[in-house]
Amino acid sequence: MPVSVNLTDRQQRILWATVRHYITTAEPVGSKALVDEYNLSVSPATIRNAMGVLEKAGLLYQPHTSAGRIPSDSGYRIYVDRLIAPSEKLGGKVEQVLDQLNWSDGRMETLLRGAAQILATVSGYIALITLPQSHTGNLRHVQLVQIDPKQVMLIVVTDSYETQSVLMQLPQPKNGETSETLGPEDAEIVDRELQILSNFLNSQLRGRSLCELSLIDASELGREFERYAELLKTVLSDLSRKAQTPAYTRILISGLAEALRLPEFSQLQQVQTIIHLLEQEQEQLWPLIFASGSSETPGKRVKVRIGSENPLEPIRCCTLISSTYQRGSVPVGSVGVLGPTRMVYENAIAVVEAAADYLSEAIGGT
């Protein structure tokens, strides 16, 4: 997509006005409309010339030879990345309305459904909120248990009493003895060492998220425990990496019926494929919703996928805007809106951004 195309200030203003007018009217835009409704301080001929340049750059196109022009996906991309800013006023309104939900007393799914309904109402588009990840709780207890002379099990318990376990090969003693030659007294020594290590791990890691298990400072281990240090580091890093891999959770949807009444969704077959994706194939949509950041706009935490940027065929006529909400520094879920590419982007981005911030604060306090 020609998102790196260089535009003059005048061309950017005309692109902004064209996109803005099309979003408002859903009608192809001609130079006369821009002259009449926008203070561009240039002649109709200059506007026509600029629109021709924008069309050649792939940012506008004519649906019919006698019609005005409408934005392409690339035109919307430049509009989003360079020409607008999220509406701070609407973002504040979203937070005020969400604040009416009672996060201190209620089931999480019920509260998130309420949040989705609010987002759908405020944005006018389909609201999507994933249920929070269950494996991202904080660590409650760690225990190392000797299974046999060769193996040790690391058991991790979270604050929600979920458990994970990993089987590890026991490091060989420094004296060169093999695990087969160790006697009962040696096994007792190993048990005592494992208990000391368990106490050390609990002091280092209790209260941290599973994603932070690899942050252990093994340098504080005494010399007698050096043989365990590298093994523990490897195993804990593996558990941390697995915890950072999001697992599919259900997507709560609101505003579907209202949004599909928009003129872009007038074809029955198109509507059916979107409904089928949202209701029957959420596992395909989920990775797009949960993705954080934006590959198109580095540094922005709200991801905007416009039209053909969406890899799923049913929503290649749509824009998907999403952001993750967090518990502490760990993404646990996501919030987004789905609508036509002819979307009021400054409002939709503001709604998603504000909702993600609010949910992060609310989830973090539960």
Side-chain angles (χ1 to χ4, degrees), residues 260-323:
L260 291 179
R261 293 194 185 105
L262 294 169
E264 284 82 358
F265 303 124
S266 59
Q267 296 182 7
L268 179 59
Q269 184 176 0
Q270 180 189 44
V271 170
Q272 289 175 335
T273 58
I274 293 174
I275 292 175
H276 182 75
L277 174 66
L278 294 175
E279 295 184 347
Q280 305 297 325
E281 297 183 347
Q282 289 191 1
E283 68 279 1
Q284 293 189 41
L285 182 63
W286 193 93
L288 303 184
I289 299 288
F290 199 85
S292 60
S294 175
S295 57
E296 292 83 12
T297 51
K300 293 187 179 181
R301 56 193 182 81
V302 174
K303 187 170 188 66
V304 182
R305 293 181 183 267
I306 301 171
S308 56
E309 296 171 2
N310 288 297
L312 299 178
E313 184 63 35
I315 57 171
R316 288 175 71 85
C317 61
C318 301
T319 288
L320 175 63
I321 300 177
S322 62
S323 182

Side-chain angles (χ1 to χ4, degrees), residues 36-304:
D36 293 342
E37 300 189 30
Y38 298 89
N39 184 23
L40 298 175
S41 302
V42 292
S43 68
T46 300
I47 292 176
R48 284 193 295 273
N49 180 63
M51 293 179 82
V53 171
L54 294 171
E55 183 175 5
K56 288 180 180 178
L59 307 180
L60 302 176
Y61 70 94
Q62 284 184 292
H64 309 289
T65 53
S66 60
R69 295 173 174 89
I70 64 178
S72 66
D73 292 347
S74 299
Y76 282 123
R77 170 53 61 194
I78 288 183
Y79 178 79
V80 168
D81 289 351
R82 305 184 197 175
L83 307 180
I84 62 169
S87 169
E88 293 183 6
K89 182 178 179 180
L90 186 60
K93 178 184 176 182
V94 169
E95 292 193 16
Q96 288 178 357
V97 179
L98 286 172
D99 209 29
Q100 297 174 14
L101 297 171
N102 186 0
W103 291 92
S104 61
D105 182 24
R107 290 180 65 246
M108 180 64 66
E109 181 173 339
T110 302
L111 292 167
L112 291 178
R113 283 194 182 280
Q117 290 172 0
I118 290 170
L119 298 189
T121 300
V122 174
S123 69
Y125 307 120
I126 302 167
L128 310 162
I129 299 181
T130 68
L131 292 174
Q133 299 282 293
S134 61
H135 66 248
T136 52
N138 293 332
L139 187 138
R140 181 184 182 88
H141 184 69
V142 181
Q143 188 69 45
L144 288 162
V145 180
Q146 186 176 191
I147 302 300
D148 58 41
K150 292 184 178 181
Q151 297 183 100
V152 173
M153 180 173 287
L154 172 68
I155 301 171
V156 174
V157 184
T158 69
D159 52 6
S160 59
Y161 293 96
E162 295 182 3
T163 62
Q164 295 191 38
S165 60
V166 180
L167 204 59
M168 310 181 299
Q169 293 297 313
L170 187 66
Q172 294 297 324
K174 282 188 174 181
N175 59 16
E177 291 186 17
T178 64
S179 54
E180 288 85 350
T181 63
L182 294 177
E185 291 183 0
D186 297 300
E188 290 180 8
I189 293 173
V190 171
D191 282 338
R192 286 197 297 271
E193 289 179 343
L194 293 179
Q195 186 57 55
I196 294 171
L197 281 170
S198 297
N199 294 340
F200 171 77
L201 292 173
N202 280 297
S203 67
Q204 286 259 326
L205 300 174
R206 184 180 287 117
R208 290 188 174 183
S209 75
L210 295 185
C211 296
E212 299 174 304
L213 292 183
S214 60
L215 300 180
I216 182 175
D217 185 3
S219 65
E220 295 187 18
L221 280 170
R223 294 187 63 181
E224 65 271 27
F225 297 107
E226 285 180 356
R227 67 189 181 112
Y228 293 102
E230 194 60 36
L231 178 63
L232 285 174
K233 184 177 179 181
T234 300
V235 170
L236 291 172
S237 295
D238 185 53
L239 281 174
S240 176
R241 188 166 51 252
K242 288 179 180 178
Q244 293 177 47
T245 303
Y248 168 73
T249 56
R250 192 152 49 90
I251 303 173
L252 305 178
I253 300 171
S254 187
L256 181 61
E258 293 78 7
L260 291 179
R261 293 194 185 105
L262 294 169
E264 284 82 358
F265 303 124
S266 59
Q267 296 182 7
L268 179 59
Q269 184 176 0
Q270 180 189 44
V271 170
Q272 289 175 335
T273 58
I274 293 174
I275 292 175
H276 182 75
L277 174 66
L278 294 175
E279 295 184 347
Q280 305 297 325
E281 297 183 347
Q282 289 191 1
E283 68 279 1
Q284 293 189 41
L285 182 63
W286 193 93
L288 303 184
I289 299 288
F290 199 85
S292 60
S294 175
S295 57
E296 292 83 12
T297 51
K300 293 187 179 181
R301 56 193 182 81
V302 174
K303 187 170 188 66
V304 182

